[in-house]
Amino acid sequence: MTASISQMSPDQIRETVAKWEQEEVAGFLKRAPERREEFYTLGDFPVKRTYTAADIADTPAEDIGLPGKYPFTRGPYPTMYRGRNWTMRQIAGFGTGEDTNKRFKFLIQQGQTGISTDFDMPTLMGYDSDHPMSDGEVGREGVAIDTLADMEALLEGIDLEEISVSLTINPTAWILLAMYIALAEKRGYDLDKLSGTVQADILKEYMAQKEFIYPITPSVRIVRDIISYSAKTMKRYNPINISGYHISEAGSSPLHEAAFTLANLTVYVDEVLKTGVDIDDFAPRLAFFFVCQADFFEEIAKFRALRRCYAKIMKERYGAKKPESMRLRFHCQTAAASLTKPQYMVNVMRTTTQALAAVLGGAQSLHTNGYDEAFAIPTEHAMQLALRTQQVIADETGVTQVVDPLGGSYYVESLTNEYEKKIFEILDEVEERGGTIKLIEEGWFQKHIADFAYETALKKQSGEKPVIGVNRYVSEEADPKIEVHPYDATTAERQINRTRSVRENRDEAKVQSLLDELVATAKDENANIMPVTIKLVKEGATMGDIVEKLKEIWGIYRETPVF
C-alpha cells in the first residue's frame, strides 16, 4: 500500500523527488528541454522545478501560524477581507487645492474609500509657489500647498472623521501635518477620530528618492517629533509610512526594498524611545508602504516575510508586549517603474496582476496605477479603470473569502522563509558596519540600489528580462493616440495670488515672533517641533517661511556621490 505524502518523512519525500527527477523528468527533458537551465525570481532568488513538504519541513509551526496571531505571517487580522476590504486609496494631486479636490470627490463618487495626496516639487522641497525655484513647476506633478488656505481648499467638503487622508510627502511632512491638524481643529473635529498618514520617511530619501532639505540628524529629529506628538494626540493616526516603495522605484531588488525599509524602521524607533515614550504607546500606529512588482509569488512571499520579521524585531529587540505593536500594516502601490509607453494598454494587465498579488499578500490599503502614468498625471478615465480593477478583485474573484489562501503553499512558504533569512542577514550586516545613518553617509545603500538597477537595465536590453511591447512582441504599428492629463497654464497665477493674499492679511509681527520661537524649539534637542509649527500655520506662515528659517540653523544636505 502506497503511503500518502502526509505520512512521508522529509527524507522519504526527497528520495521520491530524486527518483522522479532521475526517471520521469530526465526522460522528458530529452524530448522537450526546458527554456533555460536555471530560473530565478525578479529578485534573483533561485527557483526550483517543484516544491514539496520537504522544503518547509524545518519551518516552526508558529512561524506560519494563523492570521491575526504572532508573528502575523498570514495577516495582521484574524478575518482580513472577510470583515472588510482593504482601503482603496487612489493617489491624486495636481494644480491648486481646488483642482485636486475635484479629483478627490470624483474618486469618492466612484467608490474610493481613502484619499492619497501627491504634492508638487516646490511643496516637497519647501519652496513657496512664488519662489524663483518654483518657476514652471507649480502644480505640475502634484498639488501646490503653501499655506493653511491651500489645505482648506484641498479638503473642502470632505469629512475628515469619515475618510482617511494620506499625505505623500517627506522633508516638509511635519508642516503639512500641522496644516491638516490646524484644519481639523478649525472644523471642530476630535483629533482622536482622524485616520490616515503622513509619509514622513526621510531616511529613504537619502537612500533613494533624493528629496531632502536638511542634514540627516535634524531630519530624523523631525520624524521623531511627528511620531511622539501623534502618539499623544491622535490615537488612530499613522504618523509615518516607512516606505520601501521608493527604494524599489530607484531600482533596488525586492529583497533590498524589504531589508532597507526595516533598517530605517529601527532608527526611528530608537529615536522615539529616547524621548521616554514607551514602545507600546507608539508602535501600534507605525505603518509601511511597499511596492508590488511583477514577480507574482515573490511579492506575496515578501509581504508575508516582512510581517514575520517586523513582529520578531518589535518583540525580541524592543520588548513590545501588545500584539498591535508587532502587527505590520502596509499600504501598497503597483509598480510605476513597470509601466511602459509602447503598447500602453498592456499596463492594465501589469497593474491587475500586481494588485492581485498585493491582495493575496495581505495589504491594508492599495493604489493601482493608471495605464497612462508613463506619460503624465493620470486622467480621470485611467483612474476610474484603475479603481475598477481593485473593485473587480474585491467583488468578483472570490479571493477575499479566504484569509491567506496561499498559506501552506510549498513554494510560497519556502520563499517566505528565504526572504526572512536574507532580510535578517542584511540587517545584521548593517549593524556590524555601523548602522543605517553611517551607511547612508557612506553610500552603502545607494550603491546596492544602483548596482541592481544597472543589472536590471542590462537584462532588459539583452531581453533576458522580458518587457512586453518593449523587448518582446514589439509592434510595428503605432499605438492608438492617447489623451494625457493637461496642465492648466493658469495654475501658477491662481496659486501665487492666494499665497500673496495670505501674507498681506496676516499679523506679520506675530508670525515673526513665532518663527523666533521655532528657532528656539529647534535648538532644544529635547523639545517637540510640532506645537509651534501648528501655531505658525494657523497664523498664516507659509511653508517657505518655516523651511527657510530652519535652514539658518540646520543648513542643507549635500550628498556625496557614489560610483
Side-chain angles (χ1 to χ4, degrees):
M1 186 175 179
T2 304
S4 69
I5 196 163
S6 62
Q7 295 173 314
M8 289 184 177
S9 70
D11 287 340
Q12 288 174 318
I13 294 173
R14 293 185 189 102
E15 289 174 9
T16 301
V17 171
K19 184 177 180 181
W20 168 71
E21 288 181 339
Q22 292 166 4
E23 297 175 358
E24 293 186 45
V25 175
F28 192 85
L29 288 176
K30 290 178 181 179
R31 301 190 303 275
E34 292 178 334
R35 286 177 285 122
R36 53 183 182 270
E37 290 185 5
E38 296 177 325
F39 288 76
Y40 294 88
T41 68
L42 186 147
D44 282 340
F45 282 76
V47 179
K48 294 165 50 172
R49 181 176 290 111
T50 192
Y51 289 78
T52 69
D55 292 291
I56 59 172
D58 296 331
T59 307
E62 60 270 21
D63 271 5
I64 299 176
L66 291 168
K69 290 183 70 66
Y70 180 89
F72 305 101
T73 306
R74 304 197 65 189
Y77 303 111
T79 59
M80 291 298 287
Y81 311 134
R82 287 171 64 102
R84 71 177 183 89
N85 290 325
W86 60 94
T87 301
M88 298 181 190
R89 193 188 300 279
Q90 296 299 110
I91 200 164
F94 59 87
T96 64
E98 290 88 349
D99 299 330
T100 297
N101 179 265
K102 291 176 184 176
R103 176 65 65 88
F104 283 160
K105 289 176 178 175
F106 168 78
L107 289 169
I108 292 169
Q109 288 172 352
Q110 301 303 311
Q112 174 166 295
T113 54
I115 288 174
S116 185
T117 317
D118 252 346
F119 299 92
D120 69 359
M121 190 57 70
T123 304
L124 293 172
M125 301 307 295
Y127 294 110
D128 289 337
S129 295
D130 57 355
H131 191 285
M133 288 292 288
S134 302
D135 189 29
E137 292 295 332
V138 177
R140 185 173 291 277
E141 294 183 349
V143 62
I145 303 291
D146 299 329
T147 67
L148 178 57
D150 297 325
M151 185 66 77
E152 291 174 332
L154 178 71
L155 298 173
E156 187 275 328
I158 296 172
D159 189 337
L160 303 184
E161 289 187 358
E162 294 297 323
I163 195 162
S164 65
V165 178
S166 173
L167 306 174
T168 306
I169 196 161
N170 297 283
T172 52
W174 92 100
I175 304 173
L176 268 293
L177 177 58
M179 292 180 184
Y180 175 76
I181 292 170
L183 174 60
E185 290 180 339
K186 184 175 181 179
R187 291 187 184 177
Y189 290 134
D190 181 348
L191 294 187
D192 282 334
K193 292 182 179 178
L194 301 182
S195 62
T197 186
V198 60
Q199 193 165 101
D201 177 9
I202 196 63
L203 289 175
K204 63 97 171 66
E205 296 295 328
Y206 300 102
M207 288 181 180
Q209 191 164 245
K210 312 303 181 185
E211 290 167 3
F212 43 69
I213 301 172
Y214 307 117
I216 296 176
T217 298
S219 295
V220 171
R221 177 261 179 94
I222 290 173
V223 177
R224 177 204 74 184
D225 288 354
I226 292 172
I227 296 172
S228 57
Y229 180 85
S230 300
K232 296 172 183 175
T233 61
M234 306 167 76
K235 67 181 182 183
R236 292 186 61 208
Y237 195 77
N238 302 325
I240 189 170
N241 239 212
I242 309 168
S243 304
Y245 181 89
H246 307 90
I247 294 171
S248 175
E249 290 288 291
S252 85
S253 70
L255 172 62
H256 283 141
E257 175 204 358
F260 293 177
T261 303
L262 294 182
N264 290 341
L265 159 79
T266 60
V267 176
Y268 301 135
V269 173
D270 289 342
E271 289 300 309
V272 176
L273 289 175
K274 290 176 185 176
T275 69
V277 181
D278 185 83
I279 186 70
D280 286 317
D281 288 339
F282 71 92
R285 301 317 307 171
L286 300 178
F288 291 80
F289 176 22
F290 296 109
V291 74
C292 197
Q293 272 281 6
D295 194 311
F296 190 79
F297 292 108
E298 180 174 35
E299 293 301 307
I300 295 166
K302 178 187 77 178
F303 297 137
R304 298 171 90 253
L306 275 161
R307 278 194 295 270
R308 188 188 293 169
C309 290
Y310 176 78
K312 291 181 179 181
I313 289 170
M314 300 309 281
K315 182 177 183 179
E316 296 170 10
R317 175 168 176 164
Y318 292 112
K321 294 179 175 58
K322 291 182 180 179
E324 301 94 315
S325 300
M326 310 171 212
R327 180 184 288 155
L328 184 147
R329 300 164 300 115
F330 72 98
H331 171 69
C332 191
Q333 181 172 334
T334 57
S338 70
L339 304 179
T340 64
K341 289 183 177 180
Q343 300 183 38
Y344 58 83
M345 287 306 297
V346 177
N347 292 332
V348 175
M349 277 65 83
R350 293 187 176 101
T351 295
T352 301
T353 57
Q354 292 165 15
L356 181 58
V359 170
L360 293 174
Q364 278 59 68
S365 172
L366 178 61
H367 165 90
T368 33
N369 290 324
Y371 60 79
D372 56 359
E373 286 189 53
F375 296 87
I377 287 170
T379 58
E380 279 193 357
H381 179 265
M383 277 291 93
Q384 183 187 53
L385 183 59
L387 180 58
R388 294 287 181 261
T389 302
Q390 294 197 48
Q391 291 163 339
V392 167
I393 292 172
D395 295 340
E396 295 187 13
T397 63
V399 298
T400 61
Q401 297 182 100
V402 178
V403 182
D404 188 32
L406 292 177
S409 157
Y410 301 138
Y411 177 39
V412 170
E413 296 295 359
S414 177
L415 195 50
T416 299
N417 292 344
E418 283 298 303
Y419 254 84
E420 179 192 6
K421 175 184 173 185
K422 294 293 185 182
I423 287 170
F424 278 123
E425 285 178 0
I426 292 171
L427 293 177
D428 288 343
E429 183 178 359
V430 169
E431 291 297 314
E432 290 166 4
R433 289 176 174 269
T436 301
I437 292 177
K438 178 176 182 289
L439 293 186
I440 288 175
E441 293 171 337
E442 293 176 359
W444 185 86
F445 295 100
Q446 296 91 314
K447 187 175 188 306
H448 278 288
I449 294 168
D451 286 348
F452 190 84
Y454 179 66
E455 291 167 6
T456 301
L458 293 179
K459 289 176 181 177
K460 288 180 179 179
Q461 188 176 39
S462 68
E464 181 183 348
K465 176 176 169 43
V467 182
I468 305 305
V470 176
N471 62 18
R472 189 170 293 189
Y473 308 114
V474 178
S475 175
E476 295 182 2
E477 297 180 8
D479 290 326
K481 185 178 179 181
I482 186 170
E483 291 188 14
V484 299
H485 178 84
Y487 177 69
D488 185 344
T490 71
T491 296
E493 180 182 4
R494 289 186 288 123
Q495 178 64 21
I496 288 170
N497 285 343
R498 178 160 55 211
T499 301
R500 290 178 175 170
S501 176
V502 170
R503 286 202 200 101
E504 290 167 3
N505 290 287
R506 70 192 186 185
D507 185 334
E508 191 62 31
K510 193 163 189 179
V511 170
Q512 293 304 319
S513 174
L514 285 170
L515 287 171
D516 291 339
E517 184 181 335
L518 174 72
V519 170
T521 302
K523 287 180 177 178
D524 181 354
E525 294 183 2
N526 296 317
N528 192 298
I529 204 168
M530 284 300 303
V532 66
T533 306
I534 294 169
K535 288 191 285 186
L536 272 162
V537 299
K538 284 181 176 180
E539 291 299 327
T542 69
M543 177 171 287
D545 292 332
I546 297 168
V547 168
E548 293 299 324
K549 196 68 178 178
L550 291 176
K551 284 181 182 177
E552 295 175 9
I553 58 171
W554 286 340
I556 58 175
Y557 183 77
R558 297 291 187 194
E559 183 178 38
T560 302
V562 177
F563 299 97

